[in-house]
Amino acid sequence: MLLQIARVIFQRQLTRAIVLPSVLLLSFSGVSWWQVNRLISAMQWVDHTDQVISQAYRTQKLLLDIQTGSRGYILTGELDILAPYIESSPAIDAAFEKLKNLVADNPSQTQRLKELISLYQQWDRMIALAVERRRRGEVEPLPVFKVREQQMVSMRQHITAFIAVEEQLRNERSDTVRQTTQQVSATSLILTLVIGFILASFIQRQIFQVSKTYEHALRTALEQSEISQRSAQRLADLHEIDRAILSAAPDIQIIREALERLRKIAGCQQAFVVLFDFENGTAQVIRANNDDVFQLDEGITLRIEDFAAIAVLQQRQLRLIPDIAVLEQRPIILERLLAAGVHSYIAVPMRVQENLIGELSLASIGVDAFNQENQQMAREVAEQLAIAIQQSQLRQELQKYAEKLEQRVAQRTIELQEANQNLEAFNYSVSHDLRAPLRTMQGFAQALLEDYGNQLDTFGQSYLRYIADGAMQMDTLITDLLAYSRLSRSEIQMQPTDLNVVVHQAIKQIEPQIQERQAQVTVDTPLLSVMAHPATLGQVIINLLNNAIKFVKPDVSPVVKIYSQEYLQEGKSWVKLWVIDNGIGIAPEHQERIFRVFERLHGVEIYPGTGIGLAIVRKALEKMGGSCGVESQLGKGSRFWIALPKAVG
């Protein structure tokens, strides 16, 4: 009976001795699993942010390639310079789409990216138009060039702000990883102490009955605690490696320190990185700071085949060699390792977008020294190293492109200054040397007609009038050409301008032409105020009024109506000034031509003029940051308009 009671008591005590530690250990494992999952999730977000930053830098490089190629071609007309533009343009949309997918979880970054894409689309349309103009041999207006450059500056600011936000987000997520790591370590330590205390108390009470069982449970708990602490420490070390590698500008020393830390964590004697140049068939070695077994030559050009056959490398698979000595054929690097006493070797491919850029290698003097945990750590570090090295190379390329671009801009600026000086000399020659003989022709023809007209027949008098009229027309043409040239080179000061004042002054200046043609000009007042240069705007309105009065059928009296209207474009207030006439109209296919220099739709004998008036209108509007256009049909008159920013206040 006593034996049976003792057996029951022993069974109860044994059951409690088994159940209690089991429950505690399960709780500890559950908490550890939850904490480790939190840590892995945080590290995955850091990796995601690094992918966003890498893609943003790639997109920025594509934009710079497009700008470099297009601007060089627009300035020089050399097709070879256009190559970066042609190569990068098809890839930019895919780059934007990939970047959009990567930041789909971030509304603010998505909105910032939409603004950048919108700016790029506007800028790309201007680039395409400028390239097409250059192909036709036309010179791009300087204001358009400046607007496009300002848009590029705005895009750079957007993408810089985009990257800055992502880098800040990466720092925050890295801090989260560090805090989570600390929490994992602290939780493991606290749970270990609590479990140890509970088990110690329980063992003290049950020491005489089931001492061996409780000793085993305590030993198991302590071993589990040590494993958890060791895992947490390894995670912390890996995080520190990642944070050092993915710094703002990783250099060789940072990579060496990361390799040294990985070497210590893996418990091996050597860690090094090999970077491949498949075009030249060469390899570069970067090794850890402390080399305990052998020295790998750095700075000496090695062949790729010294590490492995290219066909083997192209497989992009992890290569694990438990014992180098058993291999029958060994590349040079394995021969050197074996000679230094190394047996175990592992090489992990470093890839960037499926492109192999190198390998991360670990070497140990022990046989079969690398387990699954070591292999996984090597893979993680290899991925981060590949991203960091690629970012560093992209930064170097961007810096080189920027330096080349600055040199080209400086050279083109000097050439542009020389061209402007030559144009100034030409304008001076035109305004002085060409006008003098024209005035002589006109003066002597007029004098001959007045003094000797009675001695000439009708044909002779008409010939003299043709000479005088031709000289006058040539003088007018020179005047318009000089005005057009000055618009291209002059700097104007924008200021609030009352359209009422400018329009009425323009009407007053052409009053003789209005009375001669018996024209009716109506102004719907009040007109709005705009940001413009008053004198330049006045010349624009005079040219439009002259056209409205001139291009009317001979038996029709000109009727002109002027009014203004306000409209919004991209959140900014603009003003359109309309000049509507009852003239002969313009066919749709010719409406763009009339704004070009020397483009005339009618002979000078029918409608006199130089063909430069509307070209001056467009050039003046471009200088003032505005635009112009026409709506017209043959026989139904024309509706010319100019658009300028509305004056504030």
Side-chain angles (χ1 to χ4, degrees), residues 413-440:
T413 301
I414 294 173
E415 294 174 355
L416 184 60
Q417 290 174 349
E418 293 177 353
N420 285 335
Q421 292 173 359
N422 294 334
L423 185 59
E424 287 284 354
F426 176 74
N427 288 339
Y428 180 84
S429 175
V430 168
S431 61
H432 293 81
D433 298 341
L434 290 184
R435 277 183 164 174
L438 285 176
R439 294 192 186 100
T440 301

Side-chain angles (χ1 to χ4, degrees), residues 244-305:
I245 292 174
L246 298 177
S247 59
D251 55 16
I252 297 298
Q253 184 58 34
I254 291 177
I255 295 175
R256 287 175 177 171
E257 292 175 358
L259 291 172
E260 175 63 20
R261 183 169 297 206
L262 175 62
R263 185 185 69 81
K264 292 180 179 179
I265 296 174
C268 60
Q269 282 69 43
Q270 181 61 38
F272 58 92
V273 165
V274 184
L275 300 180
F276 297 138
D277 183 354
F278 287 101
E279 292 184 2
N280 299 319
T282 59
Q284 176 189 358
V285 176
I286 303 175
R287 59 183 176 80
N289 286 330
N290 297 321
D291 193 345
D292 296 340
V293 176
F294 67 101
Q295 297 290 328
L296 284 174
D297 297 328
E298 290 190 358
I300 297 178
T301 301
L302 301 173
R303 298 180 308 126
I304 293 179
E305 289 80 358

Side-chain angles (χ1 to χ4, degrees), residues 608-645:
T610 61
I612 305 178
L614 289 179
I616 292 176
V617 170
R618 169 166 286 184
K619 179 64 68 176
L621 266 297
E622 290 175 352
K623 290 289 289 185
M624 293 185 290
S627 58
C628 61
V630 64
E631 299 174 2
S632 181
Q633 293 182 2
L634 281 176
K636 296 185 179 181
S638 301
R639 293 164 49 88
F640 283 87
W641 58 266
I642 63 173
L644 288 165

Side-chain angles (χ1 to χ4, degrees), residues 534-584:
T536 304
L537 181 58
Q539 184 62 50
V540 166
I541 296 173
I542 288 174
N543 288 6
L544 292 176
L545 288 174
N546 278 329
N547 275 13
I549 295 171
K550 177 170 56 176
F551 291 99
V552 178
K553 292 181 179 179
D555 57 344
V556 176
S557 297
V559 177
V560 183
K561 181 180 179 180
I562 301 174
Y563 70 93
S564 65
Q565 64 178 159
E566 180 181 355
Y567 69 99
L568 290 177
Q569 183 176 347
E570 298 180 356
K572 184 178 179 180
S573 295
W574 290 75
V575 173
K576 267 189 179 180
L577 181 71
W578 293 86
V579 179
I580 305 172
D581 61 53
N582 63 335
I584 58 177

Side-chain angles (χ1 to χ4, degrees), residues 315-328:
Q315 295 177 3
R316 298 177 175 83
Q317 298 295 327
L318 181 145
R319 301 198 311 280
L320 175 63
I321 303 175
D323 190 358
I324 299 174
V326 301
L327 295 179
E328 296 180 358

Side-chain angles (χ1 to χ4, degrees), residues 12-209:
R12 291 177 180 176
Q13 292 173 340
L14 184 60
T15 300
R16 288 196 298 269
I18 294 174
V19 170
L20 181 60
S22 299
V23 171
L24 292 175
L25 289 176
L26 286 173
S27 300
F28 174 77
S29 299
V31 172
S32 299
W33 177 82
W34 174 68
Q35 292 279 40
V36 170
N37 276 348
R38 284 181 57 209
L39 179 58
I40 293 174
S41 176
M43 294 176 68
Q44 289 174 344
W45 277 111
V46 172
D47 180 67
H48 174 77
T49 307
D50 291 328
Q51 294 178 12
V52 174
I53 294 173
S54 178
Q55 183 63 22
Y57 276 117
R58 181 175 181 271
T59 304
Q60 186 182 39
K61 179 181 179 297
L62 289 174
L63 287 173
L64 286 177
D65 286 346
I66 293 173
Q67 184 196 26
T68 300
S70 61
R71 182 161 63 177
Y73 174 74
I74 292 168
L75 291 175
T76 65
E78 297 178 6
L79 288 175
D80 293 340
I81 301 179
L82 194 59
Y85 169 79
I86 296 174
E87 294 173 0
S88 301
S89 292
I92 190 67
D93 291 335
F96 277 131
E97 187 63 26
K98 183 174 182 181
L99 196 58
K100 187 189 300 183
N101 293 335
L102 287 174
V103 299
D105 60 302
N106 191 330
S108 61
Q109 287 291 77
T110 300
Q111 181 61 32
R112 187 175 284 106
L113 183 58
K114 287 181 179 178
E115 295 173 359
L116 175 61
I117 294 174
S118 177
L119 284 173
Y120 164 73
Q121 291 173 347
Q122 297 175 16
W123 178 74
D124 184 59
R125 287 194 292 270
M126 295 185 69
I127 287 291
L129 181 58
V131 170
E132 181 60 27
R133 285 179 176 173
R134 187 58 179 174
R135 284 175 177 167
R136 296 197 301 263
E138 298 176 9
V139 178
E140 184 185 38
L142 183 59
V144 177
F145 178 82
K146 290 183 177 179
V147 169
R148 194 171 67 252
E149 290 301 306
Q150 291 173 356
Q151 287 184 335
M152 185 60 192
V153 171
S154 179
M155 285 194 294
R156 284 182 176 177
Q157 293 173 349
H158 271 73
I159 200 166
T160 299
F162 182 94
I163 293 174
V165 170
E166 288 297 329
E167 289 181 342
Q168 181 180 0
L169 188 59
R170 181 179 64 189
N171 292 336
E172 294 173 356
R173 289 173 176 172
S174 297
D175 291 338
T176 301
V177 171
R178 185 172 59 256
Q179 294 172 3
T180 304
T181 302
Q182 294 173 353
Q183 292 174 2
V184 170
S185 300
T187 302
S188 299
L189 181 60
I190 292 173
L191 287 178
T192 300
L193 294 175
V194 171
I195 291 173
F197 176 78
I198 294 174
L199 290 177
S201 300
F202 191 78
I203 289 171
Q204 187 177 7
R205 291 194 302 268
Q206 305 295 330
I207 189 66
F208 297 102
Q209 293 84 6

